[in-house]
Amino acid sequence: MSRPRRGRLRLAADLSLAVLLFSLLAALAVRLEDTRTRVEQGAAFVVDGDTLALGGRRIRLVGIDAPEYGQTCRRAGAAYACGRLARQALVEAIAGRPVSCSGNRVDRYGRLLGDCRAGEADLNRAQVAAGWAVAYGDFEAEERAARAAGLGLWAGEFEWPQDWRRRHDGMDEPRHDTLAAIGDWLRAFFRLP
């Protein structure tokens, strides 16, 4: 008598497991759709050396970290407004052209982490190559070349932007590398802050 009952319990357990797995796969498919590549294009307003406002959305240039707008650095023993110069370098790289940014990650501040272009110019790469941003998960070769040539920030002394933010605002931003991307995806998938 116990054998047929055990068979029905096993069948019910198997069906329940199948329904649970199907539900999880459906939820995963929905969440993966939320991580699709987004493209923003048009006239950009430059917020600082690594952030744009484009189409009503803030975009953080992925893989780089520029001084904050109010940050100062030192060159030849004197302080200078390196944050403002980093912003100006990005304005000049855009040169009034329409900007196109694409990305599939959003940082903890709601900004799209994007690769941005103005015409043929890769804006992320240009900021690091000119020395007005440091590599932050990408563009290490460009940083080495800018450092060797003494360009931009590398012409003097500066506090790393992430350290400056932490000291002034108490804000910490993870690097834009693969491990950070996995963490961002997991936070988005499970809707964590």
Side-chain angles (χ1 to χ4, degrees):
M1 245 199 197
S2 66
R3 193 173 289 270
R5 183 173 182 175
R6 185 176 292 172
R8 283 184 286 205
L9 288 175
R10 178 72 174 183
L11 178 61
D14 288 347
L15 285 173
S16 297
L17 182 59
V19 168
L20 177 64
L21 288 175
F22 178 75
S23 298
L24 286 173
L25 286 174
L28 179 61
V30 168
R31 298 301 296 147
L32 286 175
E33 179 61 22
D34 285 347
T35 61
R36 68 193 177 281
T37 299
R38 294 170 181 90
V39 176
E40 299 287 341
Q41 33 193 352
F45 173 78
V46 178
V47 176
D48 60 25
D50 59 18
T51 307
L52 303 171
L54 184 61
R57 177 161 203 173
R58 285 212 178 209
I59 299 168
R60 172 72 154 77
L61 277 65
V62 69
I64 75 170
D65 198 14
E68 294 300 312
Y69 185 74
Q71 186 173 342
T72 59
C73 300
R74 299 193 67 72
R75 188 178 333 157
Y80 73 100
C82 58
R84 290 181 185 203
L85 290 177
R87 179 188 180 277
Q88 186 60 36
L90 186 54
V91 168
E92 290 171 7
I94 292 170
R97 296 175 290 188
V99 172
S100 176
C101 298
S102 64
N104 61 1
R105 294 172 44 206
V106 175
D107 71 7
R108 67 177 72 176
Y109 308 110
R111 301 174 299 188
L112 177 66
L113 293 175
D115 292 303
C116 299
R117 302 186 79 74
E120 295 300 313
D122 178 334
L123 300 175
N124 306 49
R125 186 176 309 279
Q127 282 295 86
V128 177
W132 290 114
V134 297
Y136 206 58
D138 209 348
F139 309 109
E140 284 81 8
E142 290 81 0
E143 180 182 291
R144 281 191 299 276
R147 182 186 298 207
L151 300 176
L153 299 170
W154 304 106
E157 301 170 17
F158 67 94
E159 184 174 11
W160 289 85
Q162 65 184 359
D163 296 336
W164 191 91
R165 279 190 303 276
R166 196 176 302 119
R167 200 167 55 78
H168 284 81
D169 303 326
M171 296 174 65
D172 194 19
E173 180 178 347
R175 293 179 61 82
H176 302 156
D177 56 12
T178 304
L179 188 58
I182 293 168
D184 290 344
W185 185 85
L186 288 172
R187 267 195 305 282
F189 182 77
F190 291 109
R191 297 181 191 248
L192 300 173

